[in-house]
Amino acid sequence: MWQILQQISPYAIAFAIPLLITAIGGLYSERSGVVNIGLEGLMVIGSFAAAITISVLQPIMHSQALWIGLLAAVLAGALFSLLHAFASISLQANQVISGTAINMIAGAITVFIARNVTGSGNIQINPFTRFDIPVLNEVPVVGKLLFSNTYATTWLTLFILTVAYFVLYRTVFGLRLRACGEHPQAVASAGVNVQFIRYAAVIISGACAGLGGAIILTTYSGEFNGTVFGLGFLALAALIFGQWKPLGILGATAFFGYASTIATSAQAIPALAQIPGVALKTFPYIVTLLVLVLFSKTSQPPRASGQPFDHGKR
């Protein structure tokens, strides 16, 4: 059993990392009071921007093009999220409908452009290669689990998670952001620009989601095809499961990562090989539904989440 865990851990972590960074983006947005259903679409935008950038630069810059592609994904996700921010904050539109529109627009426009650029709608790149971290990969128990066969983007994401925790709980900006999601009228009465805070949160959310889509492309996918396989919605589930807290989200995404990896690699595990393939493939999604049902009564989202703020009323 221990050997099986060592074998699947690199793949489970690789699957969980895009979920984690996207859920962190959703955390910023929802903590400020803006529901961002459009994480899926923003991931697609990020994946597309990275694919276009890397495909152009990789013949010249080789592996360095991957990092520039990640940066392009961050910028594209941030810029595209402005559509959701403008509709939800400035126009006070329904945030769920706005996010749904983002998902629909992102998939359509990226595939349209990709087909005009490549003729097929698919863009292939050479992704990051895995590596072992010297010394640490020899540490008993955790060495083979965490520090072997890993990607550089894994440690970039964990660094961003640490920064997110510090920003949300140890800075004035984080305090104001969380207050905007709980009682925006009180925050506005104190002289804080609620709209500015919410705009910043949604832009950060888009940047993180864009990076999540690019990480899928530059690690285990290697190809843009107009979809991120529903991981944006799974990131939303992890956000709820994690109770809108950074460490809770880390645990939730790790859980989903291992559940999905077990489902896809079950045929190589004798103990699971007898289970029908359909049951194993649907296992992660059934678990997601069960988790949401079980935790729905105890979940405590930000009080003002999804509620438009009218700066004229305090």
Side-chain angles (χ1 to χ4, degrees), residues 234 255-256 259 278-294:
L234 199 57
F255 172 78
F256 289 143
V278 174
L280 288 169
K281 289 180 179 179
T282 57
F283 171 71
Y285 306 101
I286 294 174
V287 169
T288 301
L289 290 173
L290 290 176
V291 165
L292 293 178
V293 169
L294 292 174

Side-chain angles (χ1 to χ4, degrees), residues 17-23 42-44 46-47 70 73-74 157 205-220 228 231:
I17 286 300
L19 284 179
L20 176 59
I21 188 63
T22 305
L42 293 170
M43 291 181 76
V44 173
S47 179
L70 293 181
V74 169
T157 300
S205 176
C208 290
L211 179 58
I215 288 175
I216 294 174
L217 172 78
T218 56
T219 53
Y220 60 84
V228 290
L231 293 189

Side-chain angles (χ1 to χ4, degrees), residues 38-228:
L39 293 176
E40 176 89 1
L42 293 170
M43 291 181 76
V44 173
I45 290 293
S47 179
F48 171 73
I52 287 289
T53 303
I54 295 169
S55 65
V56 172
L57 296 179
Q58 200 162 46
I60 305 171
M61 304 182 67
H62 307 293
S63 62
Q64 294 178 349
L66 294 170
W67 294 104
I68 298 176
L70 293 181
L71 179 59
V74 169
L75 295 175
L79 289 174
F80 207 77
S81 67
L82 285 172
L83 293 175
H84 181 55
F86 179 71
S88 301
I89 301 169
S90 297
L91 300 183
Q92 299 184 15
N94 186 293
Q95 296 173 10
V96 174
I97 294 176
S98 174
T100 303
I102 292 293
N103 291 333
M104 297 175 66
I105 293 171
I109 195 172
T110 53
V111 170
F112 174 77
I113 296 174
R115 284 179 178 174
N116 280 274
V117 171
T118 65
S120 65
N122 295 346
I123 304 173
Q124 295 183 341
I125 65 155
N126 294 320
F128 284 111
T129 55
R130 295 176 180 267
F131 64 94
D132 295 338
I133 299 179
V135 181
L136 293 178
N137 69 326
E138 301 297 334
V139 175
V141 184
V142 298
K144 296 297 181 183
L145 293 179
L146 301 179
F147 304 111
S148 296
N149 213 15
T150 187
Y151 288 111
T153 50
T154 297
W155 304 103
L156 172 64
T157 300
L158 293 177
F159 173 75
I160 293 174
L161 173 67
T162 305
V163 171
Y165 183 90
F166 178 81
V167 168
L168 287 172
Y169 295 104
R170 295 291 186 270
T171 66
V172 174
F173 174 78
L175 176 63
R176 291 176 175 176
L177 186 146
R178 288 183 288 118
C180 286
E182 297 292 339
H183 204 310
Q185 288 79 14
V187 178
S189 298
V192 177
N193 190 330
V194 175
Q195 286 193 328
F196 172 79
I197 296 292
R198 287 188 168 184
Y199 258 94
V202 174
I203 291 172
I204 294 172
S205 176
C208 290
L211 179 58
I215 288 175
I216 294 174
L217 172 78
T218 56
T219 53
Y220 60 84
S221 173
E223 180 182 31
F224 171 80
N225 55 12
T227 181
V228 290

